[in-house]
């Protein structure tokens, strides 16, 4: 039987060159199928169509509740910053008195912050370090009682504009004087002593020098809110202190100073009232 198989195989082989088979080569599939333990798989032919995109869902965090902001306070009056066309700096906090010092170059324009009438004018620098009278400490100054009923003081002026006198009608932004360092500011850089109060007798000079913190209003006027008015705060402070409060801060002059007859220094047992909020 073995001999028959060999003969049959020999007869089935076609002729050829010795050592070179003449059978057609086996396919890759046949080779793999003939390999013991081989694993085959079918790969899908490329189609050229991209896989569908899966949408990405982003969960946004919930927004916080809206902050309730009160509407800006407006008034019928229009205000301007009291120093014009110059760089300025000023303190936005209470130092000694409810006023502020607006630092600016000498000769810069001091202008009326609002429409109104000139109240007091001092064109003479009467302050002396030997006496340090309170009524003279602001040197040359101008006060304006605005149409809003508020009094505004600009002190330490280098000069007062000619024609500015008590009773003169002025408009917001009108020139009242030039910034300087008169009064007790003579050893400092040029600045404008700026204060807000209400109209009183000149004898109550301590009211004139400041009763309402002014910086919130200066901030507003400088940054474009030209309708923010100190009228309500001025009225509230006056209701608290009275229209003619006693002097409680920096009131005494130095020994040798002779007060005017109109000045009435407070007695030792006078009640002290905090002013300016």
């Amino acid at each position: 039987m073995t001999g028959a198989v060999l003969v049959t195989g020999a007869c089935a082989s076609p002729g050829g060159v010795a050592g070179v088979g003449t059978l057609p080569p086996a396919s890759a599939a046949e080779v793999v199928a003939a390999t013991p333990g081989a694993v085959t798989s079918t790969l899908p032919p490329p189609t050229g169509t991209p896989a569908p995109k899966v949408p990405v869902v982003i969960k946004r965090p919930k927004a916080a509740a809206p902050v309730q902001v009160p509407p800006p306070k407006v008034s019928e009056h229009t205000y301007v910053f009291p120093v014009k066309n110059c760089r300025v700096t000023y303190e936005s906090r209470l130092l000694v008195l409810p006023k502020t010092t607006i630092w600016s170059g000498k000769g810069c324009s001091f202008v009326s912050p609002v429409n109104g009438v000139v109240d007091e004018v001092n064109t003479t620098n009467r302050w002396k370090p030997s006496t340090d009278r309170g009524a003279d400490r602001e040197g040359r100054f101008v006060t304006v009682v605005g149409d809003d009923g508020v009094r505004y003081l600009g002190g330490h002026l280098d000069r007062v504009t000619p024609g500015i006198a008590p009773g003169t009608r002025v408009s917001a932004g009108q020139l009242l004087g030039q910034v300087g360092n008169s009064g007790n500011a003579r050893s400092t850089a040029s600045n404008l002593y700026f204060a807000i109060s209400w109209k009183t007798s000149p004898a109550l000079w301590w009211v004139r020098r400041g009763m309402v913190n002014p910086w919130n209003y200066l901030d507003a006027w400088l940054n474009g809110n030209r309708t923010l008015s100190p009228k309500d705060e001025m009225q509230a402070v006056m209701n608290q202190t009275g229209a003619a409060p006693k002097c409680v801060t920096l009131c005494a002059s130095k020994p040798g100073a002779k007060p005017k007859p109109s000045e009435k220094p407070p007695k030792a047992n006078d009640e002290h009232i905090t002013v300016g909020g």
Side-chain angles (χ1 to χ4, degrees), residues 65-91:
V67 178
Q68 300 298 323
V69 178
K73 294 182 179 180
V74 297
S75 71
E76 59 182 326
H77 306 286
T78 301
Y79 299 86
V80 300
F81 194 82
V83 177
K84 189 175 182 179
N85 298 331
C86 283
R87 293 184 60 184
V88 299
T89 58
Y90 55 95
E91 290 282 357

Side-chain angles (χ1 to χ4, degrees), residues 22 112 146 250 271:
T22 58
S112 179
L250 299 179
E271 179 185 3

Side-chain angles (χ1 to χ4, degrees), residues 98-121:
K99 57 87 178 179
T100 195
T101 300
I102 302 177
W103 300 99
S104 187
K106 186 173 184 178
C108 288
S109 299
F110 163 53
V111 299
S112 179
V114 69
N115 295 346
V117 177
V118 175
D119 181 38
E120 293 181 78
V121 177

Side-chain angles (χ1 to χ4, degrees), residues 228-270:
L228 186 64
S229 174
K231 179 180 179 180
D232 291 344
E233 186 175 359
M234 180 215 73
Q235 189 65 52
V237 174
M238 186 170 66
N239 292 343
Q240 177 189 354
T241 65
K246 298 177 177 66
C247 183
V248 296
T249 306
L250 299 179
C251 304
S253 302
K254 289 184 178 180
K258 295 181 180 180
K260 293 181 179 180
S262 61
E263 293 182 3
K264 296 180 180 179
K267 298 178 182 179
N269 59 352
D270 280 342

Side-chain angles (χ1 to χ4, degrees), residues 3-143:
V5 172
L6 292 175
V7 171
T8 303
C11 293
S13 299
V17 181
V20 180
T22 58
L23 290 174
S27 67
E30 292 173 335
V31 173
V32 172
T35 304
V39 178
T40 62
S41 63
T42 303
L43 298 177
T47 62
T49 303
K53 294 183 178 180
V54 179
V56 178
V57 180
I58 300 176
K59 294 184 178 180
R60 299 183 181 275
K62 290 185 177 180
V67 178
Q68 300 298 323
V69 178
K73 294 182 179 180
V74 297
S75 71
E76 59 182 326
H77 306 286
T78 301
Y79 299 86
V80 300
F81 194 82
V83 177
K84 189 175 182 179
N85 298 331
C86 283
R87 293 184 60 184
V88 299
T89 58
Y90 55 95
E91 290 282 357
S92 295
R93 60 192 177 97
L94 181 65
L95 297 176
V96 179
L97 296 168
K99 57 87 178 179
T100 195
T101 300
I102 302 177
W103 300 99
S104 187
K106 186 173 184 178
C108 288
S109 299
F110 163 53
V111 299
S112 179
V114 69
N115 295 346
V117 177
V118 175
D119 181 38
E120 293 181 78
V121 177
N122 181 23
T123 59
T124 304
N125 185 15
R126 301 187 181 94
W127 183 81
K128 297 179 181 180
S130 59
T131 57
D132 191 29
R133 291 182 66 251
D136 300 334
R137 287 175 186 145
E138 281 69 62
R140 299 181 185 91
F141 67 84
V142 176
T143 66

Side-chain angles (χ1 to χ4, degrees), residues 155-224:
H156 297 328
L157 299 178
D158 185 57
R159 65 189 293 267
V160 175
T161 301
I164 297 299
T168 302
R169 180 77 188 173
V170 294
S171 302
Q174 183 172 336
L175 182 65
L176 302 178
Q178 275 76 43
V179 173
N181 60 345
S182 60
N184 66 350
R186 73 175 189 176
S187 60
T188 70
S190 298
N191 66 88
L192 180 73
Y193 184 114
F194 184 75
I196 296 175
S197 62
W198 52 87
K199 182 176 173 60
T200 59
S201 163
L204 301 178
W205 50 266
W206 50 87
V207 176
R208 179 186 68 213
R209 67 183 180 178
M211 299 295 288
V212 175
N213 295 332
W215 44 84
N216 289 338
Y217 306 101
L218 291 174
D219 290 346
W221 304 340
L222 186 62
N223 295 314

